[in-house]
C-alpha cells in the first residue's frame, strides 16, 4: 500500500520517461485521475484509460515523445508539497514555473487545477508539483 499516491504517480511517469516506455500503469485513485487529466489537457501525456485487473482499477497512461530520438515531452517533474512538509500559497503568490512554460499542479478548495487556472479564479491552495 502506497501512502503518498501523488509521489507514486510522478515517480512512475519519471521512471517510464527515462527508459522511453510508451505506456505506464498507475493505480487508479481520484487524485491520480485528476493529475493525469491535467497532464493530458496541458499536452504532457498523450492519453489515458482505465482498466480492471483482479478487482483492482488501474490507469494506462500513454506517454508523449518528440522527434526521431524520442525525447520525452516531460523534461522534469518535481514534487513540492510532501506528507512531511505541506506547502500552501495564496492566490497572489502562486508560482510561475519556467516563466509559464511549465505548470504547477495545485490542490484547491475547488479541486485540482493548474497554477494558471487557480490564479485566474483567484484561489490559492497546496502546491503539489512542478512539471516542465
Amino acid at each position: 500500500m502506497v501512502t503518498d499516491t501523488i509521489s507514486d504517480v510522478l515517480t512512475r511517469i519519471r521512471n517510464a520517461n527515462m527508459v522511453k516506455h510508451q505506456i505506464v500503469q498507475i493505480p487508479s485513485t481520484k487524485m491520480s485521475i485528476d493529475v493525469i487529466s491535467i497532464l493530458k489537457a496541458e499536452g504532457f501525456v498523450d492519453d489515458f484509460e482505465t482498466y480492471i485487473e483482479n478487482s483492482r482499477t488501474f490507469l494506462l497512461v500513454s506517454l508523449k515523445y518528440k522527434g526521431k530520438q524520442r525525447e520525452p515531452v516531460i523534461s522534469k517533474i518535481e514534487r513540492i508539497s510532501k506528507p512531511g512538509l505541506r506547502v500552501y500559497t495564496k492566490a497572489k503568490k502562486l508560482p510561475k514555473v519556467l516563466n509559464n512554460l511549465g505548470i504547477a499542479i495545485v490542490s484547491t478548495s475547488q479541486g485540482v487545477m493548474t497554477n494558471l487556472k487557480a490564479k485566474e479564479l483567484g484561489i490559492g491552495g497546496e502546491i503539489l508539483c512542478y512539471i516542465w
Side-chain angles (χ1 to χ4, degrees):
M1 181 72 186
V2 177
T3 56
D4 188 10
T5 58
I6 300 165
S7 287
D8 183 49
V9 167
L10 299 178
T11 301
R12 285 175 189 250
I13 291 173
R14 186 181 309 117
N15 290 343
N17 259 338
M18 286 171 47
V19 293
K20 297 185 167 82
H21 282 204
Q22 186 63 41
I23 295 174
V24 63
Q25 175 182 334
I26 299 171
S28 179
T29 62
K30 185 178 182 327
M31 182 61 77
S32 64
I33 291 171
D34 289 344
V35 169
I36 298 298
S37 296
I38 289 173
L39 291 180
K40 181 183 176 191
E42 294 294 322
F44 289 106
V45 298
D46 209 15
D47 201 7
F48 72 96
E49 63 181 46
T50 60
Y51 82 100
I52 299 173
E53 178 182 297
N54 297 334
S55 74
R56 295 183 63 196
T57 307
F58 294 98
L59 295 174
L60 281 180
V61 180
S62 175
L63 300 176
K64 207 175 205 183
Y65 298 97
K66 57 187 172 192
K68 289 184 180 179
Q69 303 295 327
R70 288 181 47 88
E71 291 295 319
V73 171
I74 299 173
S75 53
K76 182 142 184 175
I77 298 179
E78 187 178 340
R79 178 81 157 112
I80 303 302
S81 185
K82 301 172 182 157
L85 180 64
R86 301 289 185 185
V87 178
Y88 297 95
T89 186
K90 297 177 183 177
K92 291 182 180 179
K93 302 220 178 196
L94 282 167
K96 274 187 168 181
V97 180
L98 224 60
N99 205 14
N100 285 337
L101 292 177
I103 61 168
I105 297 180
V106 183
S107 177
T108 67
S109 59
Q110 296 182 10
V112 180
M113 59 186 74
T114 65
N115 57 334
L116 302 173
K117 181 150 188 204
K119 188 169 222 143
E120 180 183 304
L121 295 174
I123 52 177
E126 181 182 1
I127 302 172
L128 301 177
C129 61
Y130 294 157
I131 299 171
W132 66 88

